[in-house]
Amino acid sequence: MEEKWREIGCFFAGKKTDCFSLLKKRLAYLIDHLLFEQASVLQREIHLAESFYQEIVRVNQFIQEPEVIFSIPLDLEEPVSQTTQLKYYQVSFGKLIQTNILSPEETFQPLPPSSAALPLAPEDLDPLGIILNHLYRQEKAADK
């Protein structure tokens, strides 16, 4: 029982875990015993758990980065080449250090990474999740 709790803890901490290999063994067992409906349900649950686990791993990796700087065009309907303003974000160890809205001709001046993080306002629901989602989509687009 203690081993299962350790595996669950590793899962939620985004650490290496054997829980997926155990779940896949269980899936193989269900298929071998012709329990296809249960296997289908388990397969969907494994996929969801793997997606959730990968998100935890991505967050853990992101909050270990000493400095991440990126920009988002504010005119989302316009092509990037016609953007009139960009919002720059500077993040250090998962904390927002500064944001700045500039024209494409202006240069973003980052603060030293050791600067204090900005206090979060109530409208900043989950900036880390939003930032990670944006960066993930940029990476996927660059891979294509």
Side-chain angles (χ1 to χ4, degrees):
M1 185 67 157
E2 189 175 314
E3 183 179 334
K4 288 181 182 179
W5 280 113
R6 189 175 66 248
E7 289 297 320
I8 291 169
C10 288
F11 173 88
F12 284 107
K15 297 179 180 174
K16 187 174 178 352
T17 178
D18 292 331
C19 70
F20 293 113
S21 63
L22 296 173
L23 287 169
K24 288 179 181 174
K25 286 179 186 176
R26 177 71 178 159
L27 181 62
Y29 172 86
L30 292 173
I31 292 169
D32 289 345
H33 288 83
L34 306 177
L35 300 168
F36 299 119
E37 288 180 15
Q38 291 177 18
S40 176
V41 169
L42 182 58
Q43 188 172 24
R44 278 193 308 272
E45 290 173 350
I46 290 171
H47 177 72
L48 290 172
E50 286 176 330
S51 296
F52 183 64
Y53 177 77
Q54 289 305 319
E55 182 67 16
I56 292 169
V57 169
R58 284 183 33 222
V59 167
N60 287 345
Q61 290 171 342
F62 185 76
I63 63 175
Q64 292 175 20
E65 291 291 327
E67 184 173 59
V68 177
I69 297 174
F70 64 96
S71 64
I72 298 175
L74 293 181
D75 311 336
L76 295 177
E77 284 78 39
E78 298 294 325
V80 175
S81 62
Q82 297 176 0
T83 295
T84 58
Q85 289 187 318
L86 297 167
K87 184 164 187 178
Y88 285 86
Y89 294 84
Q90 181 182 4
V91 181
S92 179
F93 297 107
K95 299 202 184 313
L96 191 59
I97 300 298
Q98 80 165 318
T99 64
N100 210 341
I101 298 173
L102 303 171
S103 71
E105 296 80 31
E106 295 176 283
T107 304
F108 178 73
Q109 299 297 321
L111 296 173
S114 61
S115 297
L118 292 175
L120 295 178
E123 61 270 7
D124 295 328
L125 271 334
D126 184 7
L128 185 60
I130 294 166
I131 289 168
L132 281 172
N133 187 30
H134 175 73
L135 292 174
Y136 178 72
R137 284 187 286 144
Q138 279 185 332
E139 290 171 7
K140 286 291 186 189
D143 290 343
K144 289 182 181 178

